[in-house]
Amino acid sequence: MALIFPAVSTLRRDPRLLSYSPHVSALCIVVGVVWLFLLPLNNYSRHTYISENALLPGQVHTYFGGSEQYIFRAYKREVEALNTNGTDGVVEKLDEIFKSAGLKVARQKYKYASSGKEYSGENVYSILHAPRGDATEAVVLVAAWRNMNGELNESGVALVLTLARYFKSSEDQFLYGWSLWSKDIIFLITEDSRAGPQAWVDAYHDAHSPPSVSSLPLKSGILQGVVVVDYPFSHPFEFIHIVYDGINGQLPNLDLFNTAVSIASGQMGIGTVLQQMWKHNDGYRDRLQTMLRGMVNQGLGHASGPHSSFIPYHVDAVTLQAVGEGSHDEMALGRTVESLFRSLNNLLEHFHQSFFFYLLMQANRFVSIGTYLPSAMLIVVNFTITAMSLWVQSGRPEISAKAPTRQGDSGRKVGNVKKDRAIGVTPAQGSAAIERKLFLPVASVIGVHFLGVIPLYVFNHSSEKTIAITFFSFTVFNFILPYVGAIILERYFHPTRQEVLLMKSFSLLLLGMFLSALATINFSLAFLVGLSSVPLTFAGPIPGRPAVAIIAAILMSFLTPTTVLFCSSVYWKVPVSDILIEAAFGWDVWGMWTQVVVWCVWWPAWLTGTVLVASSLVKPYSRRVS
C-alpha cells in the first residue's frame, strides 16, 4: 500500500490524464450507440417464453361461437342505431343491456379540463361475480365507445356486450355442475379512450378528485389483468395488433403479452403484429425499426390505448386491435378473448415471474433490461467523465512562465523557494491545487434549472387557441436567451476560467445523475435525451477563434428542445399544437412527466452549455462596454 498511494497521487497530477477525457467520452458515446444497433441480432436478443406455468395459454377448449354470433349481430345493430341517433341515450341503453344479461350495473360521470377544453363523459360497467371466488380478485374487459383515433368501436363494443352475456350464461349453465370462473369479471364501456379509462381506474383505487370524477358505487377485488378490445369496422380482419405501451414508458408484464401472442397465433391461427409493423419479415431492419418505434412511444410517455391508464397502478393490460382485411371474424376474436380470460383465471397470484422492462422487436423476440441498459448508461457516463475532468482542471491554475522550474528526480516539475537564507523545493505552479470558488457556478446552475419551471407551467396551462403562438414565441425567445445570459454573465459577474469550468462541470454532473436514474425507469426517454445532449459534452468557450465560436453557437441554437420538437412534428406530419395539447392533457389527466425531463433536465443543460459558447462572442463586447 505504501507504493500504491504515491503512484495514484502522481497519476492524478499527470496533465496527460485530463487530455484523454474527450476521447474517452467520445468512445463511450460511440460504443453506446453501436450497442443499441447490435440488439436486433440473434446473439443479443432471445425468443419469448412463458414464465408463469399456471397460465397454460391455449390449453383450454373455447365454447364461444354458434348462436352467440346472432346475439353479436343484434348488439351491433343496437350500437349502430345509438351512434346514428347521437350520444344521447347511449349509457342508458348499455345499462339496460347489461341488466338484461343478469349483471350488476353501475355508472360513473367524469369531467376534466385541459388546454382550455373540457373532457366529460360517463362510463358504464357491470360485474360478474364468480361463485368460486370471494371477490378478492378481478379481471377487466374494456371497450371504448370511440377508440384512440376517434372512430366508433362498433364491433368492439358489441363483442364485449356479447361476451358479458356469454360469460354470465356459461356461469348459470355450470352453476349446478362445475363452475368456470374463480375471479370476478368486470365489463367496462368507456365513452372515450383517453379520459374515461383514467377516470374509472383512478376511482377504483380511490385516487380520483371528486366532484369532477365520481366515485364508483360498485367495486370488486384487486385487478389482476385488463384486456381492451378495439374493433372499429364490420368486415373480417387480418391481424391482431397488440398495443402494450403504458404511460411514462411503463410496460405490462411480458407474460401477459406472450400469452396473448401464444393464444392468437398458436391456438387461433391469427397473425399478431406490434408497433404498426404490418409487414414484418423478422430481418434485422424490421427488428430494428420495431424496436425504435417502441422506444419512441415509451420515450414520449403518452397513452397508446385505454389499457395505458391501468399500468401505473401495477395492473397489467394490453389492447387487442383488429387490423387489415382478411378472413378472421368477430367470433375468432371473441374466442381469443375467452381463452385469454381462461388463462388469467388460472393465475394464483399477481404477474411477477417475467420481465417488466424489455424491448420487443418482433412478436416472438425481445431484449431484457440487463442487455439493453448498458447502451444508455454508456452515453450517460460520458457526461460524468467530462464533469469529473472539468472539476480536476478547475483546481489547477493556468500554467505561467514566470517562476523558474526544474525537473526533479521523480520527473515532475518543481520550483525553488528562498526564505531567510533557506532554500526549499515545492511543486511548480502547474501542479499545485488552488481553492475553488463555488458560489457563482452553483448559483447559476441551480438558477437555470429552476428557470425550467417557467416553460413547464406555460405549455401545460396554455389554451388550445394560443398554444401554437406561445410555442413559436418561446422558440424565438429561446434563440435570444443564451446571448442575453452570456452578456449578463460577462458584464456583471466577470467569471474566471475556473468558474466557467465549474459551471459546465456541475451542469453535466446533474445531467448525468438525472439520466442515469431515469434510465432504470424509462430507458427510452433517457437514451433519447442523452443522445440529443451529446454536443453539450464538447461545447464550451472558444476564445480567440470567433469564426468557430459563431458556428458552434449557431449549431447549439438548433439543438434546443423546441427546435427538436418542431423538426419531429415536421417528420411525423403532426402539427406542433396537437403534440403540445396531447402533452398538456397527459400532464393534467394521465400524470405524464415527460415534460419535467424536457424542461427541468434537458433544457437547463442546453441553456448552460449554449451560454458558455455564446460567452466567447460577447466577451469582447462586454470588455468594450466596461
Side-chain angles (χ1 to χ4, degrees):
M1 297 295 291
L3 298 176
I4 293 177
F5 287 113
V8 172
S9 178
T10 303
L11 182 64
R12 182 175 64 86
R13 296 177 184 272
D14 192 343
R16 293 175 298 178
L17 185 63
L18 297 179
S19 65
Y20 298 143
S21 171
H23 306 289
V24 175
S25 295
L27 180 64
C28 290
I29 296 166
V30 172
V31 174
V33 174
V34 171
W35 191 299
L36 184 75
F37 281 84
L38 290 176
L39 295 179
L41 298 176
N42 289 333
N43 294 333
Y44 299 93
S45 59
R46 45 181 167 163
H47 286 283
T48 56
Y49 56 92
I50 303 293
S51 299
E52 181 57 73
N53 295 325
L55 286 169
L56 298 174
Q59 300 299 313
V60 298
H61 179 73
T62 55
Y63 302 95
F64 186 73
S67 60
E68 278 76 23
Q69 188 165 17
Y70 299 104
I71 299 174
F72 169 83
R73 291 174 179 173
Y75 284 149
K76 187 178 176 183
R77 285 194 292 269
E78 294 278 5
V79 172
E80 291 173 347
L82 289 172
N83 184 59
T84 304
N85 298 331
T87 57
D88 296 337
V90 171
V91 176
E92 288 76 9
K93 185 62 179 179
L94 295 175
D95 188 314
E96 179 184 336
I97 292 173
F98 279 132
K99 286 182 178 178
S100 66
L103 300 170
K104 294 182 179 180
V105 188
R107 304 183 194 176
Q108 180 209 22
K109 291 184 178 181
Y110 61 88
K111 180 172 64 175
Y112 293 104
S114 179
S115 299
K117 187 177 179 181
E118 186 177 282
Y119 301 85
S120 60
E122 188 172 7
N123 299 323
V124 58
Y125 67 100
S126 62
I127 300 179
L128 171 60
H129 292 288
R132 289 173 52 196
D134 53 359
T136 58
E137 296 178 333
V139 288
V140 187
L141 181 59
V142 184
W145 186 258
R146 294 194 178 274
N147 63 11
M148 293 294 287
N149 298 325
E151 303 169 325
L152 177 65
N153 189 18
E154 49 180 326
S155 298
V157 173
L159 185 59
V160 169
L161 296 174
T162 308
L163 286 168
R165 183 185 182 94
Y166 166 72
F167 287 165
K168 176 61 178 175
S169 62
S170 299
E171 197 62 56
D172 294 340
Q173 180 180 354
F174 295 114
L175 188 59
Y176 300 101
W178 54 275
S179 183
L180 190 63
W181 304 109
S182 61
K183 293 179 174 59
D184 292 353
I185 301 178
I186 301 175
F187 305 95
L188 172 63
I189 307 294
T190 62
E191 187 162 327
D192 65 356
S193 296
R194 303 168 75 234
Q198 188 66 50
W200 190 87
V201 71
D202 284 345
Y204 195 91
H205 294 89
D206 295 324
H208 59 299
S209 302
S212 59
V213 177
S214 303
S215 301
L216 298 183
L218 287 178
K219 288 186 181 180
S220 182
I222 300 172
L223 303 182
Q224 297 292 327
V226 177
V227 178
V228 181
V229 179
D230 185 4
Y231 192 174
F233 46 81
S234 302
H235 58 78
F237 62 93
E238 184 179 5
F239 301 109
I240 291 180
H241 181 223
I242 303 180
V243 188
Y244 58 93
D245 303 298
I247 297 170
N248 294 322
Q250 295 179 339
L251 301 173
N253 190 274
L254 189 56
D255 267 347
L256 177 60
F257 178 87
N258 292 338
T259 302
V261 172
S262 177
I263 291 172
S265 60
Q267 184 182 12
M268 303 299 167
I270 306 173
T272 54
V273 295
L274 62 152
Q275 300 299 341
Q276 299 182 0
M277 290 292 294
W278 312 129
K279 294 182 180 179
H280 199 298
N281 60 11
D282 200 24
Y284 173 83
R285 183 173 181 178
D286 286 348
R287 287 183 183 181
L288 179 63
Q289 188 174 355
T290 304
M291 182 184 70
L292 293 178
R293 287 187 178 188
M295 288 179 60
V296 170
N297 283 328
Q298 294 165 30
L300 292 175
H302 66 112
S304 56
H307 69 281
S308 300
S309 300
F310 292 86
I311 297 178
Y313 288 96
H314 304 289
V315 180
D316 302 291
V318 294
T319 293
L320 304 182
Q321 186 180 49
V323 295
E325 188 169 354
S327 57
H328 304 290
D329 61 359
E330 60 278 351
M331 293 296 104
L333 183 58
R335 286 190 293 270
T336 302
V337 174
E338 180 192 0
S339 184
L340 184 54
F341 268 66
R342 295 281 292 277
S343 292
L344 294 174
N345 190 60
N346 293 335
L347 278 176
L348 301 177
E349 50 190 335
H350 200 78
F351 280 109
H352 69 283
Q353 293 277 3
S354 193
F355 298 94
F356 287 96
F357 300 95
Y358 51 86
L359 292 177
L360 287 167
M361 50 196 63
Q362 199 253 349
N364 296 308
R365 201 157 195 89
F366 79 106
V367 178
S368 63
I369 184 173
T371 306
Y372 67 71
L373 187 60
S375 61
M377 287 302 185
L378 283 168
I379 292 178
V380 170
V381 78
N382 98 87
F383 302 121
T384 306
I385 291 173
T386 304
M388 293 171 62
S389 173
L390 293 170
W391 171 264
V392 175
Q393 289 182 44
S394 67
R396 295 183 177 181
E398 297 184 70
I399 301 297
S400 176
K402 294 180 180 180
T405 61
R406 64 179 178 86
Q407 290 289 336
D409 295 335
S410 62
R412 288 168 35 207
K413 290 185 176 182
V414 295
N416 296 331
V417 178
K418 294 181 66 176
K419 185 177 181 181
D420 298 333
R421 298 182 180 180
I423 299 177
V425 180
T426 61
Q429 186 177 356
S431 59
I434 62 173
E435 182 182 0
R436 294 178 176 89
K437 299 179 180 179
L438 302 178
F439 177 75
L440 179 61
V442 171
S444 61
V445 171
I446 292 178
V448 168
H449 277 78
F450 275 107
L451 199 64
V453 177
I454 297 176
L456 177 66
Y457 179 86
V458 169
F459 287 118
N460 286 331
H461 293 82
S462 297
S463 65
E464 187 176 1
K465 297 179 180 179
T466 62
I467 197 165
I469 300 175
T470 303
F471 172 78
F472 288 110
S473 300
F474 184 79
T475 301
V476 175
F477 175 72
N478 223 19
F479 278 103
I480 303 173
L481 182 60
Y483 302 96
V484 175
I487 291 173
I488 295 173
L489 188 66
E490 291 292 338
R491 184 173 182 182
Y492 296 102
F493 297 98
H494 309 292
T496 63
R497 168 186 170 273
Q498 182 195 71
E499 290 173 327
V500 170
L501 292 175
L502 288 174
M503 286 181 195
K504 183 178 177 182
S505 175
F506 292 154
S507 178
L508 293 181
L509 191 64
L510 286 176
L511 180 64
M513 180 181 67
F514 288 141
L515 293 184
S516 60
L518 178 64
T520 60
I521 303 173
N522 190 340
F523 161 82
S524 302
L525 181 58
F527 184 90
L528 295 173
V529 173
L531 196 61
S532 302
S533 304
V534 159
L536 300 178
T537 301
F538 310 99
I542 310 175
R545 302 167 68 183
V548 178
I550 292 173
I551 295 174
I554 293 174
L555 291 177
M556 289 294 294
S557 298
F558 283 99
L559 292 175
T560 174
T562 52
T563 307
V564 173
L565 174 60
F566 177 76
C567 295
S568 301
S569 69
V570 173
Y571 178 78
W572 283 314
K573 300 179 181 179
V574 179
V576 174
S577 58
D578 291 353
I579 297 176
L580 295 174
I581 291 171
E582 183 78 0
F585 182 87
W587 174 267
D588 294 323
V589 180
W590 296 328
M592 193 173 78
W593 40 256
T594 306
Q595 303 96 309
V596 178
V597 177
V598 171
W599 297 118
C600 297
V601 177
W602 179 14
W603 184 74
W606 168 85
L607 183 58
T608 302
T610 310
V611 166
L612 296 181
V613 173
S615 64
S616 303
L617 301 175
V618 304
K619 185 175 293 186
Y621 168 76
S622 299
R623 288 176 179 174
R624 287 196 301 269
V625 172
S626 299

